[in-house]
Amino acid sequence: MEYLEFELPIKELEEQLQKCMVIGEESDVDVTETCAQIEKKLAQTRKDIYKNLTAWQKVQLSRHPSRPYTMDYINAICGDTFLELHGDRNVKDDKAMVGGLGKIGDQSYMFIGQQKGYNTKTRQYRNFGMANPEGYRKALRLMKSAEKFKIPVVCFVDTPGAYPGIEAEERGQGEAIARNILEMTRLKVPIIVIIIGEGASGGALGIGVGDKVLMLENTWYSVISPESCSSILWRSWEYKEQAAEALKLTATDMKKQGLVDEIVKEPLGGAHTDRKKTFETVADKISSHFEELKKLSPKELVKTRMEKYADMGVFSE
């Protein structure tokens, strides 16, 4: 188990509890009451820490190395029904963007999402979850296939941003993302978007337009990361905490501003502390939202989606 800086009080109490249990096992001393007190204090400490997280702490939780990624969700939700599809039929297969067909119950979906790596080797293989233009073009190809066969689309967003390399710009990174945004607004099948980790910049928007946009509780969604914002405004990364607060990037902020439709509750401590429960919750949300969206005709679906995004940013004094 890896702990973040603000989780160290939890780590200390868990170590105390472990030592207490070892003493009880290795001697005749009755430590039942002591262990119970530590457990009670541990539960309260967990509650106090996770119920009062700052914006920056939520950013840290969204990047937790044990947090489930797109393929973890897909494999848990779809099981053996998932068939991964590859390539943009133009350049190559982008490993940072994954997609394919899978089922929840008897209903087929086209799943698309950014995939990060679990160690140094797989992080390089997945390009740290930063897709190239061919990744976004692959995603669009899969969405168009889903539209052709009247299959709903589910997008999992988890990226620090689109890949900013020279070769990506040469192959039209900006155009690829803009094309996806345009095509997703008028796709004639339901689109459900779920932010499961980081939702940064145009890299997130490239697969982030949907009829329903959901955010897991400890995720963030913003035009820029707190570190990059800090480096631009203060010429230093040291002000990332202030930048995170100012950007209003948490799920609560996004819901308040009407930019997302629902916040999905996570187990206490984050999605990684109880993966099974998280996967079940996400699967239930996908199914329930699809049941609502499938009642709309393709024309109504597109009209409602267009109106939803046209209304964003409108305010009255």
Side-chain angles (χ1 to χ4, degrees), residues 97 110 112 114 136 139-140 143 152-157 176-195 199 201-214 221 259-261 293 301-310 312:
M97 187 75 75
M110 181 66 80
I112 297 165
Q114 290 105 349
Y136 292 101
L140 182 56
M143 289 179 207
V153 174
V154 176
C155 295
F156 292 111
V157 176
I177 291 170
R179 173 66 58 185
N180 277 26
I181 294 171
L182 171 65
E183 295 293 348
M184 288 182 85
T185 58
R186 57 193 188 190
L187 209 69
K188 295 181 176 67
V189 291
I191 308 172
I192 299 167
V193 177
I194 307 167
I195 295 144
S201 194
L205 284 178
I207 58 167
V209 178
D211 301 292
K212 296 292 179 181
V213 180
L214 284 56
Y221 196 22
L259 300 175
V260 299
D261 300 292
L293 292 169
L301 207 59
V302 174
K303 184 175 180 287
T304 307
R305 191 187 305 144
M306 289 283 232
E307 287 173 352
K308 171 187 170 181
Y309 283 91
M312 285 183 182

Side-chain angles (χ1 to χ4, degrees), residues 286-302:
I286 292 169
S287 298
S288 62
H289 282 294
F290 173 66
E291 287 301 314
E292 182 185 331
L293 292 169
K294 75 177 185 181
K295 296 170 187 174
L296 301 175
S297 68
K299 192 175 179 180
E300 289 172 322
L301 207 59
V302 174

Side-chain angles (χ1 to χ4, degrees), residues 155-173:
C155 295
F156 292 111
V157 176
D158 186 14
T159 180
Y163 183 57
I166 293 172
E167 61 272 35
E169 297 299 334
E170 287 173 344
R171 293 196 295 274
Q173 185 72 285

Side-chain angles (χ1 to χ4, degrees), residues 266-277:
E266 293 183 26
L268 192 67
H272 59 283
T273 58
D274 191 343
R275 288 181 165 224
K276 187 181 178 185
K277 186 179 178 183

Side-chain angles (χ1 to χ4, degrees), residues 67 73 192-196 213-219 251-252 255 260-267 271 277-286 289:
R67 194 173 179 87
Y73 282 93
I192 299 167
V193 177
I194 307 167
I195 295 144
I196 58 171
V213 180
L214 284 56
M215 277 184 82
L216 265 67
E217 190 179 6
N218 298 309
T219 62
T252 309
K255 182 71 170 68
V260 299
D261 300 292
E262 187 179 346
I263 299 170
V264 180
K265 290 286 288 181
E266 293 183 26
K277 186 179 178 183
T278 304
F279 297 147
E280 287 172 355
T281 303
V282 169
D284 289 343
K285 291 292 180 186
I286 292 169
H289 282 294

